[in-house]
């Protein structure tokens, strides 16, 4: 009897993932979210400590496709994983325990330092807010506040204490602007993520015939893909963050981005669900519908 009670209490203390039907529930699993991820990742590593941690410890150079796949799986679990969400949060904290070193300003860093860990998470909110204006539709004030509340829930899943994250939008923007002003810079990792001339190996995931075809065509496919990656990374980054990093963006590029996003807004909503939503989101949506019909 005594051994059962602590486990029950532990389960009750687990942070809840964002609710079905919420803003993140609709947004995070939509394929358009994939277009926003490069901007969020680049803004994360523009922080000297985060950039140094990735530069020193990440396998993004040697295993970019595996690294991307694992990151996307993790993000999907935070929102759609149910009971797995909290377990994924614990796994990530354990993974980051040994990540430490010295950043470009000569300061000691640790990946789980509250300021560093919270910034990595915080970047998702302004990027989602900005990206939806282009790729979906501008959020209403109520939706924006709901998105921030749900992002705080995700932060709790990741083990971020409420005291380390602004607890309202009104508190978030001064915090965000201060980090942009005091910390953000074009780190080595930022430069690599927006470069068009850094080699990236062909995809090593998927069916063998597809991988072989991509490997054969990679010298032709990669240059335009690299240019598109740079374009979408800088274009969907909030302008104040783009300016803080020092990334150039022209009026002509802005017009091109708006044309591209108009096409995306027209096409994606009419796609069948199996093409519009990522696998975790599809399964979670189907399970939620099944529960609703019982």
């Amino acid at each position: 009897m005594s051994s059962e009670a602590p486990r029950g209490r532990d389960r009750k203390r687990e942070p809840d993932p964002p609710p079905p039907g919420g803003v993140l529930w609709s947004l995070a699993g939509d394929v358009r979210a994939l277009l926003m991820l490069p901007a969020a990742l680049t803004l994360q590593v523009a922080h000297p400590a985060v950039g140094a941690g990735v530069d020193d410890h990440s396998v993004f150079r040697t295993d970019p496709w595996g690294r991307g796949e694992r990151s996307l799986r993790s993000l999907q679990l935070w929102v759609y994983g149910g009971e797995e969400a909290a377990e994924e949060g614990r796994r990530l904290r354990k993974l980051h325990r040994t990540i430490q070193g010295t950043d470009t300003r000569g300061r000691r860093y640790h990946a789980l330092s509250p300021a560093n860990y919270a910034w990595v998470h915080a970047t998702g909110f302004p990027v989602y807010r900005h990206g939806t204006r282009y790729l979906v539709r501008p959020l209403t004030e109520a939706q924006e506040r709901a998105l921030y509340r749900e992002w705080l829930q995700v932060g709790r899943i990741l083990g971020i204490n409420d005291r380390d994250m602004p607890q309202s939008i009104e508190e978030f923007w001064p915090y965000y602007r201060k980090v942009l002003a005091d910390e953000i810079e074009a780190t080595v990792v930022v430069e690599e993520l927006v470069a068009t001339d850094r080699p990236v190996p062909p995809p090593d995931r998927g069916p063998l015939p597809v991988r072989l075809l991509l490997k054969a065509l990679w010298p032709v496919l990669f240059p335009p893909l690299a240019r598109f990656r740079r374009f979408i990374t800088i274009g969907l980054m909030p302008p104040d963050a783009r300016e803080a990093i020092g990334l150039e963006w022209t009026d002509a590029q802005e017009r091109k981005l708006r044309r591209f996003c108009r096409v995306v807004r027209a096409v994606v909503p009419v796609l069948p669900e199996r093409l519009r939503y990522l696998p975790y989101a599809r399964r979670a949506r189907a399970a939620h519908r099944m529960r609703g019909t019982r």
Side-chain angles (χ1 to χ4, degrees), residues 48 54 56 59 77 108 110 114 128 146 148 150 162 166 181 188-189 191 198 204 229 235 241 245 260 262 287:
V54 171
D56 294 341
V59 297
L77 281 174
R108 295 293 300 172
H110 191 288
Y128 269 139
Y148 192 73
E150 292 169 17
D162 284 351
V188 170
V189 182
E191 292 175 354
R198 304 291 177 91
D204 56 1
R229 180 187 62 188
I245 298 173
F260 169 75
R262 280 198 294 271

Side-chain angles (χ1 to χ4, degrees), residues 27-294:
L27 182 61
D30 189 302
V31 293
R32 287 172 286 190
L34 294 176
L35 295 171
M36 304 181 210
L37 285 179
L41 294 171
T42 303
L43 183 53
Q44 290 171 9
V45 299
H47 189 292
V50 180
V54 171
D55 189 25
D56 294 341
H57 299 276
S58 176
V59 297
F60 81 100
R61 295 183 182 98
T62 56
D63 184 23
W65 301 103
R67 175 71 170 81
E69 182 181 66
R70 291 188 294 273
S71 295
L72 183 59
R73 176 185 179 275
S74 185
L75 190 155
Q76 295 290 291
L77 281 174
W78 307 342
V79 179
Y80 304 106
E83 293 181 358
E84 290 183 76
E87 181 60 36
E88 176 64 9
R90 288 190 290 270
R91 186 191 72 83
L92 286 175
R93 289 189 68 86
K94 182 178 180 181
L95 181 69
H96 286 81
R97 284 176 187 166
T98 59
I99 297 178
Q100 55 188 310
T102 304
D103 70 15
T104 56
R105 301 183 186 182
R107 302 173 302 189
R108 295 293 300 172
Y109 72 82
H110 191 288
L112 292 179
S113 296
N116 302 335
Y117 202 55
W119 173 252
V120 170
H121 177 60
T123 56
F125 173 68
V127 171
Y128 269 139
R129 175 181 177 269
H130 183 67
T132 54
R133 294 179 176 181
Y134 287 81
L135 295 166
V136 187
R137 67 177 67 86
L139 297 173
T140 66
E141 181 180 351
Q143 288 172 329
E144 192 172 311
R145 290 182 179 278
L147 173 61
Y148 192 73
R149 287 194 303 272
E150 292 169 17
W151 204 236
L152 287 176
Q153 285 181 257
V154 172
R156 295 180 190 113
I157 287 170
L158 297 176
I160 298 172
N161 292 317
D162 284 351
R163 65 176 178 271
D164 297 323
M165 275 287 291
Q167 292 299 293
S168 69
I169 287 181
E170 287 79 9
E171 295 172 338
F172 176 80
W173 293 117
Y175 152 79
Y176 169 74
R177 288 190 289 267
K178 180 173 174 54
V179 177
L180 292 186
D182 296 348
E183 295 287 348
I184 295 309
E185 61 183 40
T187 63
V188 170
V189 182
V190 166
E191 292 175 354
E192 290 192 41
L193 292 180
V194 298
T196 59
D197 59 351
R198 304 291 177 91
V200 174
D204 56 1
R205 302 297 196 272
L208 179 60
V210 174
R211 283 187 279 133
L212 292 175
L213 180 62
L214 286 173
K215 184 176 182 180
L217 296 176
W218 199 239
V220 176
L221 293 176
F222 177 68
L225 287 174
R227 291 192 295 270
F228 177 74
R229 180 187 62 188
R230 176 183 174 88
F231 172 73
I232 207 69
T233 298
I234 300 175
L236 291 181
M237 186 174 292
D240 50 1
R242 186 193 301 151
E243 182 178 353
I245 298 173
L247 298 172
E248 294 185 2
W249 187 249
T250 66
D251 291 342
Q253 288 174 312
E254 179 67 19
R255 290 191 294 271
K256 184 178 179 182
L257 177 67
R258 291 178 182 272
R259 289 194 298 270
F260 169 75
C261 290
R262 280 198 294 271
V263 174
V264 173
R265 286 199 307 271
V267 171
V268 173
V270 299
L271 292 175
E273 187 164 296
R274 62 187 175 84
L275 297 178
R276 179 177 174 179
Y277 292 99
L278 299 170
Y280 275 98
R282 287 201 309 271
R283 291 194 289 269
R285 290 168 65 87
H288 181 62
R289 286 195 297 267
M290 288 292 293
R291 289 193 294 269
T293 59
R294 290 174 185 171

